[in-house]
Amino acid sequence: MCGIAGRVNYLSRRPVDAAVVRRMCDLIAHRGPDGWDVRVDGWVGLGHRRLSIIDLSAAGTQPMSTADGRVWITFNGEIYNFLELRRQLEQEGHRFRSATDTEVILAAYRQYGLECLSRLRGMFAFAIWDQTRERLFLARDRVGKKPLQYLLDRDGIAFASEPKAFLADPAWVPEPDPQGIADYIALQYVPAPESAFKGVRKLPPGHFLLVENGQIRIERYWRLKYSDKVRMTEADAAAELRRRLSDAVRMRLISDVPLGAFLSGGIDSGAVVALMAEHASGPVKTFSIGFEQKEYDELPAARLVARKYSTDHHEFVVRPDALSLLPSLVWHYNEPYADSSAIPTFVLSELTRRYVTVALNGDGGDENFAGYDRYYANVLGQHFDRIPRPVRRLMANAAAMAPSNGNRRGLVSRGRRFLQAGAEGREERYIRWVSHFPHGLREEICTPDFLAQVPRDPDRVLLDAYRSSDAADIVDATLDVDVTTYLAGDLLVKVDIATMAHGLEGRSPLLDHEVMEFAARLPSDLKLRRNVKKYILRTAVASLLPAEILDRPKMGFGVPIDAWFRCELKEFVQDIVSSAKFRQRGIMRPAVVEQLFKDHVSGEASWHYQLWNVVMLEMWFRAFIDTRPTSKADVASSLGGLVAA
């Protein structure tokens, strides 16, 4: 697990400045604290920051080349089937100088060309420079566990694991991209291929980018298929799923450094820990995080699994002083990012890194097996659609005017949101359910001048994802949308940034592409059985987990910012929304934002998600647009005393 960067001046053929590539690597040094190297040859430059996981020797140093020096690679990730692939390549006549998966990718590219991607099982983002063909080959793993950004200019292309690396080039002036900002306001993250920075693009998951003969080509090489369903009994499906999960966990235990697992109180991480215990030779190291607010605290549930498997268990508690993390969050997340669970994830990663270098997690269970309320809500919505739309609109209006108890997780709040979305079509209902600022509220809070600069309605991201899916029913279609948007753009970004900020590698067995492909082919009623979410996953792992874990309602990985904003952090938010800088942005109407804040503090409504969205956007502007940071200390300084350094 590492950080990669580089530049290929294929248009101008101007020599690459090695010092610039070195500074690009320095700006993402946290991703690879164990070493670095840069390789520059004329108009091509590749850089690398190394986090040593497999083959800790100097033989694993990158950028790495083939024996003849004609093909070079800089690679971030882990290929879990590299030993099997290596044996196949050796039978084809390839010889290896190291024990790394990096060299296996090089040989696979030599043997199979672009088709090598179909043979890689793992997480990856890499750049291969093929000197003979004068070809740059950028690729990203199937679901987007590892990031890859690129920047096109008059010389050619620059690329990096994080966009802050582009600050190394004095010719690049960071500017906000209106489309990226609008998408963020709606969704709480900036979805690929957009970026918050003008001119910067994200290579989408499951895609590769090829620069050859002066042309750029971007292609999708993988996506889930939901239409070709398996034919097997429920018992056989559960047994096959259990086997695939066990295999995925086993493969992710390969490491030359200490390894453990994140453990929440849910089914997904609990199942991962249980399967780790089956394969491990000693006690599994587990790490959990909780809160003083009981309704958000999963530590008691996590202890049940830890005790069952006698793990070496560690617990941490997040308190409101986590706000002091904000300079770190703004610096490391690069773009505005409003998923508040980044706070506990960041803290958990920092503390876990004190004990291990690799941590498995349960990410992907909800998006594979229908674990969110919105899947069941969409099924109910199909029955709700039988009510005439005018009546549904009256119900939506009545729900909007009803008083809120301020608890978004509560039954009353969920009922209000369901009724408000009831007048919409099925895709629009989902959009309203997941958007921070859905259509209508977005137009109310954003200025007309800003909206006039946005070429595409942010809702198109989700609508297009629905319309490109091959799924036959609303459950599978919504799972597909979540995998391609929310999972890739929010959850995987959160974990990658939080872990790599501390030199910790995160591994996600439930996001193994063979597990995901099997899950996609299962009938949707095995994922959502009436109102039982993740039905087949529960069945597959039932014997592994305490009954209390299987039966408890889903909590998610939220933080109590609703209460924090009314108490400990009230003055902080007030300072942001009333500041001259915020008022002068021209993006949001200050009066509307201040009213949201007043309504939240008074308890008349619950706007903490929206306010966090506003706060993180303003802090990003101050850190990356108002100034040109070169370190976390620069970000703390640019925030002008709003938070502790």
Side-chain angles (χ1 to χ4, degrees):
M1 199 64 69
C2 309
I4 67 174
R7 168 172 277 283
V8 176
N9 290 336
Y10 69 94
L11 292 175
S12 68
R13 303 256 169 160
R14 187 166 63 90
V16 169
D17 186 343
V20 170
V21 180
R22 167 66 190 276
R23 287 197 298 271
M24 292 176 75
C25 293
D26 288 345
L27 286 164
I28 56 172
H30 50 275
R31 299 186 72 92
D34 296 331
W36 68 275
D37 203 0
V38 167
R39 194 257 183 184
V40 172
D41 183 10
W43 45 279
V44 177
L46 304 180
H48 189 263
R49 292 291 318 199
R50 186 184 185 192
L51 175 63
S52 301
I53 302 293
I54 294 174
D55 190 348
L56 309 185
S57 71
T61 299
Q62 298 185 50
M64 180 183 291
S65 75
T66 52
D68 62 7
R70 306 296 292 178
V71 182
W72 286 79
I73 186 172
T74 181
F75 159 61
N76 171 27
E78 296 289 349
I79 306 303
Y80 303 117
N81 66 331
F82 81 98
L83 292 175
E84 174 189 347
L85 188 53
R86 175 179 171 138
R87 287 191 291 270
Q88 295 171 3
L89 290 164
E90 285 174 334
Q91 292 174 3
E92 299 286 349
H94 292 268
R95 296 294 176 262
F96 295 87
R97 298 165 292 164
S98 73
T100 65
D101 51 356
T102 307
E103 192 178 7
V104 172
I105 298 175
L106 274 175
Y109 170 76
R110 271 283 178 89
Q111 183 68 32
Y112 308 115
L114 307 184
E115 293 299 318
C116 69
L117 295 171
S118 66
R119 299 173 183 266
L120 304 179
R121 187 174 180 181
M123 53 184 175
F124 54 85
F126 62 72
I128 289 177
W129 172 247
D130 186 332
Q131 186 173 332
T132 302
R133 293 181 174 88
E134 291 193 347
R135 168 196 281 178
L136 177 67
F137 177 33
L138 302 180
R140 193 172 174 206
D141 66 65
R142 294 169 177 83
V143 292
K145 299 171 202 169
K146 294 292 101 184
L148 190 54
Q149 327 263 337
Y150 64 95
L151 173 66
L152 302 176
D153 57 29
R154 62 183 182 181
D155 288 318
I157 185 171
F159 61 88
S161 297
E162 299 180 21
K164 68 166 66 73
F166 302 135
L167 292 167
D169 187 347
W172 182 59
V173 178
E175 299 179 70
D177 184 275
Q179 185 65 67
I181 301 303
D183 288 348
Y184 161 78
I185 291 171
L187 298 172
Q188 81 179 358
Y189 60 91
V190 184
E194 306 296 341
S195 164
F197 295 101
K198 189 175 292 185
V200 175
R201 306 285 284 176
K202 301 185 183 85
L203 184 64
H207 284 67
F208 68 80
L209 182 154
L210 204 66
V211 178
E212 193 170 21
N213 300 321
Q215 302 295 318
I216 289 183
R217 183 173 120 221
I218 299 176
E219 288 188 12
R220 186 169 195 165
Y221 68 87
W222 181 88
R223 75 166 301 152
L224 286 172
K225 303 291 185 183
Y226 290 82
S227 57
D228 183 20
K229 296 299 184 184
V230 298
R231 297 177 181 270
M232 59 174 59
T233 66
E234 179 181 311
D236 287 345
E240 177 63 13
L241 176 58
R242 169 80 169 265
R243 184 193 68 78
R244 288 176 181 260
L245 289 174
S246 180
D247 187 50
V249 169
R250 176 189 57 78
M251 296 180 76
R252 283 158 180 79
L253 297 181
I254 299 174
S255 174
D256 293 333
V257 294
L259 180 147
F262 292 162
L263 177 61
S264 70
I267 294 173
D268 306 333
S269 66
V272 168
V273 168
L275 292 169
M276 289 175 70
E278 285 187 355
H279 295 291
S281 57
V284 176
K285 295 181 184 296
T286 53
F287 305 90
S288 302
I289 200 158
F291 301 90
E292 293 174 328
Q293 290 85 349
K294 186 176 180 180
E295 65 270 26
Y296 287 86
D297 188 30
E298 291 195 279
L299 289 179
R303 289 181 201 129
L304 295 174
V305 176
R307 291 194 195 106
K308 180 176 177 65
Y309 292 99
S310 301
T311 70
D312 180 6
H313 190 54
H314 306 265
E315 295 181 350
F316 318 104
V317 175
V318 177
R319 296 180 174 85
D321 62 2
L323 191 63
S324 63
L325 290 173
L326 278 178
S328 294
L329 293 178
V330 174
W331 169 249
H332 284 291
Y333 278 89
N334 298 277
E335 295 183 308
Y337 179 80
D339 187 336
S340 58
S341 64
I343 293 175
T345 307
F346 199 86
V347 174
L348 180 60
S349 298
E350 178 184 15
L351 297 172
T352 299
R353 183 62 177 88
R354 299 177 185 178
Y355 300 89
V356 298
T357 311
V358 176
L360 276 66
N361 60 56
D363 290 349
D366 294 315
E367 294 79 15
N368 278 324
F369 302 104
Y372 298 128
D373 286 339
R374 55 180 172 264
Y375 304 125
Y376 185 51
N378 272 347
V379 172
L380 291 178
Q382 291 182 313
H383 302 293
F384 200 65
D385 288 344
R386 298 170 185 169
I387 301 173
R389 178 162 285 194
V391 176
R392 283 185 278 140
R393 284 182 180 145
L394 289 173
M395 297 169 72
N397 292 336
M401 291 185 290
S404 169
N405 63 2
N407 180 14
R408 183 180 171 89
R409 294 166 176 250
L411 183 61
V412 173
S413 180
R414 292 178 181 184
R416 291 177 74 249
R417 289 163 58 209
F418 178 80
L419 291 174
Q420 285 178 279
E424 311 286 351
R426 70 174 198 172
E427 288 103 356
E428 290 79 8
R429 183 182 297 125
Y430 167 85
I431 291 170
R432 177 177 284 275
W433 191 264
V434 301
S435 294
H436 270 196
F437 290 98
H439 186 74
L441 182 56
R442 194 161 61 239
E443 282 66 28
E444 182 180 347
I445 200 168
C446 292
T447 67
D449 288 345
F450 170 71
L451 293 175
Q453 301 174 55
V454 180
R456 171 186 50 73
D457 189 327
D459 291 351
R460 295 301 315 174
V461 172
L462 302 177
L463 288 172
D464 290 346
Y466 262 117
R467 289 163 191 175
S468 66
S469 176
D470 73 334
D473 62 66
I474 187 62
V475 173
D476 276 345
T478 306
L479 288 169
D480 198 4
V481 170
D482 272 345
V483 167
T484 56
T485 59
Y486 177 63
L487 177 69
D490 184 330
L491 300 186
L492 296 183
V493 171
K494 174 183 68 179
V495 173
D496 172 77
I497 293 295
T499 54
M500 294 308 295
H502 303 101
L504 177 71
E505 176 177 299
R507 296 181 178 178
S508 308
L510 275 69
L511 293 178
D512 182 278
H513 79 272
E514 294 192 7
V515 171
M516 297 184 74
E517 288 170 349
F518 178 71
R521 296 184 63 206
L522 290 173
S524 62
D525 68 348
L526 284 182
K527 304 164 197 174
L528 182 64
R529 176 67 58 88
R530 298 183 179 90
N531 65 337
V532 179
K533 299 182 285 291
K534 296 194 282 196
Y535 175 81
I536 193 65
L537 179 61
R538 292 172 186 270
T539 303
V541 302
S543 64
L544 298 176
L545 299 175
E548 298 93 326
I549 299 297
L550 293 167
D551 297 337
R552 67 189 294 267
K554 179 179 177 60
M555 286 185 65
F557 200 34
V559 293
I561 55 171
D562 50 349
W564 292 357
F565 281 1
R566 292 187 177 106
C567 301
E568 296 93 337
L569 307 184
K570 183 171 70 172
E571 291 185 8
F572 164 74
V573 180
Q574 179 69 67
D575 289 344
I576 288 282
V577 302
S578 63
S579 67
K581 285 187 176 182
F582 173 70
R583 291 173 171 274
Q584 293 165 5
R585 298 285 177 213
I587 294 177
M588 295 184 178
R589 304 176 198 250
V592 176
V593 175
E594 289 187 9
Q595 189 60 52
L596 295 183
F597 177 64
K598 290 177 182 177
D599 290 346
H600 181 83
V601 171
S602 69
E604 292 184 21
S606 186
W607 294 111
H608 51 285
Y609 291 109
Q610 290 76 12
L611 292 169
W612 189 249
N613 186 304
V614 172
V615 165
M616 296 308 292
L617 178 61
E618 174 61 20
M619 297 183 81
W620 174 79
F621 263 97
R622 296 189 188 193
F624 284 98
I625 303 302
D626 296 350
T627 61
R628 190 184 182 94
T630 59
S631 68
K632 183 172 62 178
D634 289 345
V635 170
S637 177
S638 70
L639 297 181
L642 284 169
V643 296

mmCIF file of all heavy atoms in Angstrom, residues 440-459:
data_model
loop_
_atom_site.group_PDB
_atom_site.id
_atom_site.type_symbol
_atom_site.label_atom_id
_atom_site.label_comp_id
_atom_site.label_asym_id
_atom_site.label_seq_id
_atom_site.Cartn_x
_atom_site.Cartn_y
_atom_site.Cartn_z
ATOM 1 N N GLY A 440 -34.863 21.282 -4.899
ATOM 2 C CA GLY A 440 -35.802 22.120 -4.158
ATOM 3 C C GLY A 440 -35.066 22.805 -3.030
ATOM 4 O O GLY A 440 -34.918 24.032 -3.035
ATOM 5 N N LEU A 441 -34.597 22.037 -2.073
ATOM 6 C CA LEU A 441 -33.796 22.609 -0.989
ATOM 7 C C LEU A 441 -32.474 23.140 -1.536
ATOM 8 O O LEU A 441 -31.969 24.167 -1.084
ATOM 9 C CB LEU A 441 -33.547 21.560 0.091
ATOM 10 C CG LEU A 441 -32.752 22.020 1.322
ATOM 11 C CD1 LEU A 441 -33.404 23.215 1.997
ATOM 12 C CD2 LEU A 441 -32.582 20.866 2.304
ATOM 13 N N ARG A 442 -31.934 22.441 -2.544
ATOM 14 C CA ARG A 442 -30.688 22.893 -3.151
ATOM 15 C C ARG A 442 -30.874 24.254 -3.817
ATOM 16 O O ARG A 442 -30.024 25.140 -3.709
ATOM 17 C CB ARG A 442 -30.228 21.846 -4.167
ATOM 18 C CG ARG A 442 -28.805 22.004 -4.634
ATOM 19 C CD ARG A 442 -28.297 20.719 -5.245
ATOM 20 N NE ARG A 442 -29.046 20.275 -6.400
ATOM 21 C CZ ARG A 442 -29.667 19.100 -6.486
ATOM 22 N NH1 ARG A 442 -29.635 18.256 -5.482
ATOM 23 N NH2 ARG A 442 -30.320 18.764 -7.582
ATOM 24 N N GLU A 443 -31.979 24.406 -4.501
ATOM 25 C CA GLU A 443 -32.251 25.690 -5.151
ATOM 26 C C GLU A 443 -32.536 26.785 -4.134
ATOM 27 O O GLU A 443 -32.294 27.964 -4.390
ATOM 28 C CB GLU A 443 -33.443 25.544 -6.110
ATOM 29 C CG GLU A 443 -33.112 24.877 -7.436
ATOM 30 C CD GLU A 443 -32.712 23.415 -7.274
ATOM 31 O OE1 GLU A 443 -33.178 22.784 -6.292
ATOM 32 O OE2 GLU A 443 -31.935 22.908 -8.100
ATOM 33 N N GLU A 444 -33.046 26.385 -2.987
ATOM 34 C CA GLU A 444 -33.334 27.368 -1.944
ATOM 35 C C GLU A 444 -32.061 27.859 -1.272
ATOM 36 O O GLU A 444 -31.937 29.047 -0.953
ATOM 37 C CB GLU A 444 -34.267 26.743 -0.905
ATOM 38 C CG GLU A 444 -34.682 27.695 0.207
ATOM 39 C CD GLU A 444 -35.608 27.041 1.211
ATOM 40 O OE1 GLU A 444 -36.126 25.947 0.914
ATOM 41 O OE2 GLU A 444 -35.793 27.616 2.303
ATOM 42 N N ILE A 445 -31.099 26.972 -1.085
ATOM 43 C CA ILE A 445 -29.909 27.356 -0.324
ATOM 44 C C ILE A 445 -28.804 27.918 -1.208
ATOM 45 O O ILE A 445 -27.992 28.731 -0.749
ATOM 46 C CB ILE A 445 -29.385 26.160 0.494
ATOM 47 C CG1 ILE A 445 -28.488 26.669 1.628
ATOM 48 C CG2 ILE A 445 -28.640 25.157 -0.371
ATOM 49 C CD1 ILE A 445 -28.154 25.640 2.663
ATOM 50 N N CYS A 446 -28.722 27.499 -2.465
ATOM 51 C CA CYS A 446 -27.655 27.972 -3.360
ATOM 52 C C CYS A 446 -28.092 29.240 -4.093
ATOM 53 O O CYS A 446 -29.272 29.424 -4.405
ATOM 54 C CB CYS A 446 -27.288 26.895 -4.377
ATOM 55 S SG CYS A 446 -26.497 25.450 -3.664
ATOM 56 N N THR A 447 -27.116 30.095 -4.393
ATOM 57 C CA THR A 447 -27.426 31.339 -5.088
ATOM 58 C C THR A 447 -27.684 31.067 -6.571
ATOM 59 O O THR A 447 -27.100 30.137 -7.150
ATOM 60 C CB THR A 447 -26.270 32.336 -4.965
ATOM 61 O OG1 THR A 447 -25.131 31.840 -5.687
ATOM 62 C CG2 THR A 447 -25.893 32.570 -3.510
ATOM 63 N N PRO A 448 -28.527 31.861 -7.211
ATOM 64 C CA PRO A 448 -28.759 31.692 -8.656
ATOM 65 C C PRO A 448 -27.477 31.835 -9.472
ATOM 66 O O PRO A 448 -27.288 31.129 -10.469
ATOM 67 C CB PRO A 448 -29.758 32.807 -8.980
ATOM 68 C CG PRO A 448 -30.441 33.095 -7.686
ATOM 69 C CD PRO A 448 -29.411 32.894 -6.627
ATOM 70 N N ASP A 449 -26.599 32.744 -9.068
ATOM 71 C CA ASP A 449 -25.348 32.937 -9.807
ATOM 72 C C ASP A 449 -24.495 31.676 -9.790
ATOM 73 O O ASP A 449 -23.882 31.310 -10.802
ATOM 74 C CB ASP A 449 -24.553 34.106 -9.219
ATOM 75 C CG ASP A 449 -25.177 35.451 -9.539
ATOM 76 O OD1 ASP A 449 -26.044 35.506 -10.435
ATOM 77 O OD2 ASP A 449 -24.799 36.449 -8.890
ATOM 78 N N PHE A 450 -24.444 31.003 -8.640
ATOM 79 C CA PHE A 450 -23.669 29.767 -8.574
ATOM 80 C C PHE A 450 -24.316 28.680 -9.417
ATOM 81 O O PHE A 450 -23.645 27.988 -10.202
ATOM 82 C CB PHE A 450 -23.528 29.291 -7.131
ATOM 83 C CG PHE A 450 -22.962 27.904 -7.019
ATOM 84 C CD1 PHE A 450 -21.630 27.659 -7.322
ATOM 85 C CD2 PHE A 450 -23.771 26.831 -6.637
ATOM 86 C CE1 PHE A 450 -21.102 26.370 -7.239
ATOM 87 C CE2 PHE A 450 -23.251 25.547 -6.552
ATOM 88 C CZ PHE A 450 -21.912 25.318 -6.855
ATOM 89 N N LEU A 451 -25.618 28.496 -9.287
ATOM 90 C CA LEU A 451 -26.302 27.444 -10.033
ATOM 91 C C LEU A 451 -26.181 27.651 -11.533
ATOM 92 O O LEU A 451 -26.141 26.674 -12.301
ATOM 93 C CB LEU A 451 -27.771 27.382 -9.618
ATOM 94 C CG LEU A 451 -28.040 26.921 -8.179
ATOM 95 C CD1 LEU A 451 -29.525 27.017 -7.857
ATOM 96 C CD2 LEU A 451 -27.539 25.497 -7.957
ATOM 97 N N ALA A 452 -26.076 28.896 -11.964
ATOM 98 C CA ALA A 452 -25.935 29.183 -13.393
ATOM 99 C C ALA A 452 -24.600 28.695 -13.945
ATOM 100 O O ALA A 452 -24.451 28.509 -15.161
ATOM 101 C CB ALA A 452 -26.083 30.682 -13.639
ATOM 102 N N GLN A 453 -23.615 28.474 -13.062
ATOM 103 C CA GLN A 453 -22.293 28.002 -13.498
ATOM 104 C C GLN A 453 -22.200 26.483 -13.564
ATOM 105 O O GLN A 453 -21.187 25.943 -14.012
ATOM 106 C CB GLN A 453 -21.222 28.504 -12.530
ATOM 107 C CG GLN A 453 -21.125 30.001 -12.380
ATOM 108 C CD GLN A 453 -20.124 30.372 -11.296
ATOM 109 O OE1 GLN A 453 -18.963 29.956 -11.327
ATOM 110 N NE2 GLN A 453 -20.578 31.156 -10.328
ATOM 111 N N VAL A 454 -23.257 25.792 -13.120
ATOM 112 C CA VAL A 454 -23.225 24.328 -13.038
ATOM 113 C C VAL A 454 -23.864 23.751 -14.297
ATOM 114 O O VAL A 454 -25.061 23.917 -14.524
ATOM 115 C CB VAL A 454 -23.970 23.845 -11.785
ATOM 116 C CG1 VAL A 454 -23.941 22.315 -11.709
ATOM 117 C CG2 VAL A 454 -23.359 24.460 -10.527
ATOM 118 N N PRO A 455 -23.077 23.060 -15.141
ATOM 119 C CA PRO A 455 -23.618 22.594 -16.424
ATOM 120 C C PRO A 455 -24.581 21.420 -16.324
ATOM 121 O O PRO A 455 -25.396 21.211 -17.224
ATOM 122 C CB PRO A 455 -22.356 22.192 -17.204
ATOM 123 C CG PRO A 455 -21.325 21.897 -16.168
ATOM 124 C CD PRO A 455 -21.626 22.814 -15.021
ATOM 125 N N ARG A 456 -24.494 20.613 -15.251
ATOM 126 C CA ARG A 456 -25.318 19.413 -15.139
ATOM 127 C C ARG A 456 -25.995 19.347 -13.785
ATOM 128 O O ARG A 456 -25.395 19.634 -12.759
ATOM 129 C CB ARG A 456 -24.434 18.165 -15.341
ATOM 130 C CG ARG A 456 -25.140 16.847 -15.037
ATOM 131 C CD ARG A 456 -24.227 15.643 -15.092
ATOM 132 N NE ARG A 456 -22.993 15.749 -14.353
ATOM 133 C CZ ARG A 456 -22.884 15.707 -13.031
ATOM 134 N NH1 ARG A 456 -23.974 15.600 -12.260
ATOM 135 N NH2 ARG A 456 -21.698 15.797 -12.443
ATOM 136 N N ASP A 457 -27.257 18.957 -13.765
ATOM 137 C CA ASP A 457 -27.968 18.752 -12.509
ATOM 138 C C ASP A 457 -27.277 17.629 -11.735
ATOM 139 O O ASP A 457 -27.077 16.533 -12.276
ATOM 140 C CB ASP A 457 -29.420 18.366 -12.810
ATOM 141 C CG ASP A 457 -30.291 18.335 -11.561
ATOM 142 O OD1 ASP A 457 -29.760 17.988 -10.479
ATOM 143 O OD2 ASP A 457 -31.490 18.630 -11.653
ATOM 144 N N PRO A 458 -26.905 17.851 -10.468
ATOM 145 C CA PRO A 458 -26.252 16.793 -9.693
ATOM 146 C C PRO A 458 -27.051 15.496 -9.623
ATOM 147 O O PRO A 458 -26.467 14.415 -9.475
ATOM 148 C CB PRO A 458 -26.098 17.431 -8.309
ATOM 149 C CG PRO A 458 -26.016 18.899 -8.574
ATOM 150 C CD PRO A 458 -26.956 19.133 -9.726
ATOM 151 N N ASP A 459 -28.369 15.582 -9.737
ATOM 152 C CA ASP A 459 -29.181 14.374 -9.686
ATOM 153 C C ASP A 459 -28.872 13.414 -10.835
ATOM 154 O O ASP A 459 -29.153 12.210 -10.746
ATOM 155 C CB ASP A 459 -30.667 14.726 -9.721
ATOM 156 C CG ASP A 459 -31.141 15.413 -8.447
ATOM 157 O OD1 ASP A 459 -30.354 15.467 -7.481
ATOM 158 O OD2 ASP A 459 -32.293 15.893 -8.425
#
